[in-house]
Amino acid sequence: MKTHTTIGKFIFGIGLLLSLSGLGTSFGPFHFNSFIQNKSVALIFILVGVTFLITSSFFKKH
């Protein structure tokens, strides 16, 4: 995280929140969430979150 730019940190944070909320709904304590109604939507949140985490690695300081 030290080498990320500000936008990279922001994208990483959003990706982390999305993937954790998807994992929490699928496997964890959040059995029902107002944003995530079922497990198929939770899978989409996990995939989008992981995509954001990977994308954040492209925003590094030189």
Side-chain angles (χ1 to χ4, degrees):
M1 286 294 291
K2 289 183 181 180
T3 61
H4 286 86
T5 61
T6 305
I7 189 101
K9 289 178 184 178
F10 180 73
I11 291 173
F12 184 85
I14 295 295
L16 188 65
L17 287 175
L18 284 173
S19 61
L20 286 178
S21 66
L23 284 172
T25 303
S26 294
F27 304 114
F30 307 127
H31 295 292
F32 180 77
N33 193 347
S34 61
F35 297 114
I36 304 171
Q37 289 83 17
N38 53 22
K39 292 188 186 264
S40 63
V41 176
L43 181 63
I44 293 170
F45 268 59
I46 293 169
L47 293 175
V48 169
V50 169
T51 304
F52 275 24
L53 291 175
I54 292 169
T55 304
S56 73
S57 66
F58 293 115
F59 295 97
K60 297 213 179 216
K61 294 179 184 175
H62 297 295

